[in-house]
Amino acid sequence: MTAKRSVREVLTSPKIGSEVRIEAWVRTKRDSKAGLTFLELNDGSYFQNLQIVVSATLPNYATEIPKLHVGASVRVLGTEAQSQGGKQSVEIQALEVALVGACDPAVYPIGKQKMTYEYLRDFTHLRSRTNTFSAIARVRNVLAMAIHGFFQERGFLWLHTPVITGNDAEGAGQMFRVTTLDVAKPPRAEDGSVDFSQDFFGQGANLTVSGQLEAEAYACSMGAVYTFGPTFRAENSNTSRHLAEFWMVEPEVAFADLDDNARLAEDFLKHLLRTVLEKCPLEMEFFKQRVEPGILDLLNSVLENPFKRLTYTEAVEILIKSGEKFKYKVEWGIDLQSEHERYLTEQVFKAPVILTDYPKGIKAFYMKMNPDGKTVRAMDVLVPGIGEIIGGAQREDDIELLKGRIAEMGLHAGPLDWYLDLRRFGSVPHAGFGLGFERLVQFVTGMGNIRDVIPFPRTPGHIKI
Ligand code: 4AD
Ligand code: MG
């Protein structure tokens, strides 16, 4: 059988004159008066379609070609040829065209007409057949590999942290419970509460909100590690930046402080942007033309300039002095809202901002206390268009201070005893952060809604597939 080549292979390294087999889906079909039909095929490998020229002289032209509609799958045998049209350099002169799976245009929901992102959210299983969603899928793939490339080159170990966990890393309690108990008739303790000691694990269990605590355990023996996997949050946030299931990248480094952490975050983000610009030029040009006109200028300016660093306290002063009317009033101690974060990065600095040293009251128990006793060595990285894209910290490595924080925040010390061991036995200054992968994809593509940058989004009230 003639060798198969992908659309990408044919368009990027043509072999003019050679025979080839293409297996793909019809994106467009056009009949010309000259007894020719032009098919544009796409197989997901490349942004551009491959043009197939079908002559009416083919034996099955009259029977098969009328059955080819947009969305149908086809197998084409043909010859690679220099294209006559201006749009592309190579096309296929068909020798044989076979319909593999028909697609009825009367009921196919993915038409040529402009479909809104909202409309396509009802067809998550079909939307990767459009230019926008196939481009996003390829960018996601390139970013995922760039993440591994960055850390592997620097000697980090990829750590597989559990999805089902017995702890609540962020101490925020917004977790999905994992249980095999009969929810209609769970066993009860004497006080009437559900008796989770009879559950599958002999205790309560949840889906992880972060692999950080487990990553700390391995950083404190392996030196530098990172996790990259799905993360779950049962927060009832119906925003364009929140998902109930998202992917997070969490590096964790021993013998490192907050400065090292901030430098790592900046180098990491820049590496990811550089890689996408280099590997996905057609996708990025498309996002510029169809999604966000300023996207290439933005990414290039982020690459060329150092990130701005300042403390939370300095940021709050800037926000108060700005005179800007915010929906949520700014005062020292508040958790910054997206509008504040975006004002700082988009209006004030016009660059990514790394905010450090947040009030302890709004941050997690594990963050290292500053000598002022009021702030902790936290850092958030804010970027234009998104706001917070990274959250991280230097961790508390002093066991007494850490015990104090656990008690002060009313957390149960028992389940965290293993975590205290990391401070009991060879404690070390260490730091890390979490990058929300979908927020990164939003930032890179300019897509406005996070539901459109993950293949199958889960949000409050929505889990169709
Ligand atoms: O700021 P967060 O909650 O930090 C942590 O989980 C730390 N344990 C990370 C660490 O230090 N290892 O989450 C980190 C990032 C956020 O900055 C955001 O980009 C993303 O994860 N994120 C979400 N993305 C989509 N949907 C959600 N519901 C998200 N919650 C957080
Ligand atoms: Mg955060």
Side-chain angles (χ1 to χ4, degrees):
M1 203 184 208
T2 312
K4 174 173 173 168
R5 296 186 85 203
S6 69
V7 169
R8 173 185 289 272
E9 286 168 326
V10 172
L11 288 177
T12 58
S13 50
K15 295 183 189 163
I16 302 300
S18 77
E19 265 189 40
V20 65
R21 173 166 52 101
I22 305 291
E23 291 166 333
W25 291 266
V26 177
R27 281 290 184 88
T28 66
K29 176 185 170 186
R30 183 167 56 85
D31 296 314
S32 86
K33 292 196 191 88
L36 294 174
T37 294
F38 295 96
L39 299 173
E40 295 228 355
L41 301 190
N42 196 287
D43 62 0
S45 63
Y46 202 50
F47 184 79
Q48 283 176 347
N49 299 325
L50 178 60
Q51 175 159 283
I52 314 290
V53 184
V54 190
S55 156
T57 58
L58 286 196
N60 65 352
Y61 187 87
T63 53
E64 205 79 342
I65 300 304
K67 291 191 233 151
L68 295 182
H69 298 291
V70 172
S73 53
V74 291
R75 180 175 300 118
V76 174
L77 297 185
T79 312
E80 293 187 28
Q82 215 80 51
S83 179
Q84 314 298 313
K87 255 170 76 186
Q88 51 208 333
S89 55
V90 202
E91 63 188 19
I92 304 293
Q93 302 282 352
L95 301 168
E96 258 179 74
V97 176
L99 174 68
V100 176
C103 185
D104 182 352
V107 288
Y108 187 45
I110 310 296
K112 242 196 103 182
Q113 78 282 6
K114 187 139 178 57
M115 295 163 291
T116 65
Y117 298 140
E118 216 159 14
Y119 168 84
L120 285 167
R121 267 174 232 146
D122 284 338
F123 302 99
T124 49
H125 56 300
L126 296 175
R127 64 182 178 169
S128 54
R129 298 171 178 219
T130 65
N131 282 337
T132 307
F133 288 90
S134 59
I136 292 168
R138 281 186 301 273
V139 164
R140 258 186 92 97
N141 176 61
V142 164
L143 282 170
M145 291 313 289
I147 285 166
H148 286 299
F150 178 86
F151 288 122
Q152 294 293 328
E153 267 170 31
R154 283 162 184 75
F156 283 60
L157 177 117
W158 181 20
L159 175 70
H160 308 111
T161 50
V163 167
I164 302 175
T165 176
N167 70 57
D168 175 0
E170 293 302 290
Q174 293 162 322
M175 306 186 82
F176 290 100
R177 183 171 288 285
V178 176
T179 182
T180 53
L181 293 179
D182 178 355
V183 288
K185 245 183 11 207
R188 301 258 173 209
E190 269 171 21
D191 65 359
S193 63
V194 175
D195 182 6
F196 285 106
S197 71
Q198 295 187 46
D199 203 348
F200 186 89
F201 297 105
Q203 66 162 78
N206 297 292
L207 293 180
T208 186
V209 294
S210 159
Q212 180 199 320
L213 304 195
E214 293 89 346
E216 283 185 60
Y218 268 68
C220 292
S221 62
M222 309 297 289
V225 303
Y226 69 103
T227 71
F228 183 20
T231 310
F232 308 87
R233 304 236 170 139
E235 47 195 343
N236 199 6
S237 303
N238 253 310
T239 80
S240 60
R241 305 182 317 145
H242 287 89
L243 291 164
E245 177 178 317
F246 63 100
W247 282 61
M248 184 151 57
V249 188
E250 297 184 274
E252 191 71 32
V253 185
F255 301 99
D257 63 14
L258 197 66
D259 272 347
D260 300 318
N261 209 26
R263 221 173 301 123
L264 182 69
E266 180 170 346
D267 289 350
F268 179 47
L269 278 179
K270 286 182 170 172
H271 170 83
L272 299 179
L273 301 191
R274 224 178 282 119
T275 308
V276 171
L277 289 172
E278 185 194 312
K279 295 206 167 167
C280 304
L282 298 182
E283 283 79 5
M284 291 311 302
E285 186 56 34
F286 172 79
F287 293 129
K288 177 185 161 181
Q289 281 176 17
R290 298 295 182 84
V291 177
E292 176 57 59
I295 192 70
L296 290 178
D297 292 339
L298 171 67
L299 299 188
N300 281 310
S301 94
V302 167
L303 273 179
E304 281 155 21
N305 296 297
F307 290 10
K308 179 76 192 163
R309 273 197 225 174
L310 67 161
T311 65
Y312 167 92
T313 303
E314 288 166 337
V316 164
E317 276 164 17
I318 290 172
L319 290 169
I320 291 174
K321 282 201 194 122
S322 74
E324 183 79 12
K325 281 251 171 315
F326 293 112
K327 218 169 115 207
Y328 294 90
K329 190 166 163 267
V330 181
E331 56 188 357
W332 197 93
I334 65 154
D335 203 356
L336 295 181
Q337 302 295 313
S338 164
E339 55 171 338
H340 309 130
E341 295 173 342
R342 293 187 58 177
Y343 184 80
L344 287 168
T345 176
E346 288 165 26
Q347 307 297 324
V348 182
F349 296 108
K350 299 183 170 43
V353 175
I354 306 185
L355 284 191
T356 62
D357 303 288
Y358 281 73
K360 65 175 182 180
I362 55 170
K363 289 292 182 185
F365 73 95
Y366 51 70
M367 298 191 181
K368 186 164 183 62
M369 186 65 70
N370 275 316
D372 65 10
K374 291 193 308 197
T375 59
V376 288
R377 304 238 74 193
M379 79 172 197
D380 277 8
V381 181
L382 319 177
V383 294
I386 307 285
E388 180 191 338
I389 196 166
I390 282 178
Q394 184 173 340
R395 320 305 185 189
E396 185 55 81
D397 53 323
D398 179 307
I399 190 163
E400 293 310 323
L401 291 178
L402 184 57
K403 280 183 182 166
R405 286 292 288 150
I406 289 172
E408 193 179 3
M409 295 183 73
L411 301 172
H412 294 300
L416 286 169
D417 199 50
W418 68 269
Y419 188 68
L420 294 177
D421 273 354
L422 306 175
R423 279 78 180 161
R424 263 181 209 118
F425 310 124
S427 187
V428 62
H430 61 287
F433 62 79
L435 165 73
F437 187 57
E438 284 71 25
R439 290 200 189 165
L440 169 73
V441 181
Q442 270 192 287
F443 179 50
V444 166
T445 58
M447 292 294 289
N449 197 314
I450 200 164
R451 293 165 177 80
D452 297 328
V453 297
I454 189 166
F456 299 98
R458 280 92 177 79
T459 53
H462 293 276
I463 184 163
K464 198 178 145 196
I465 288 178

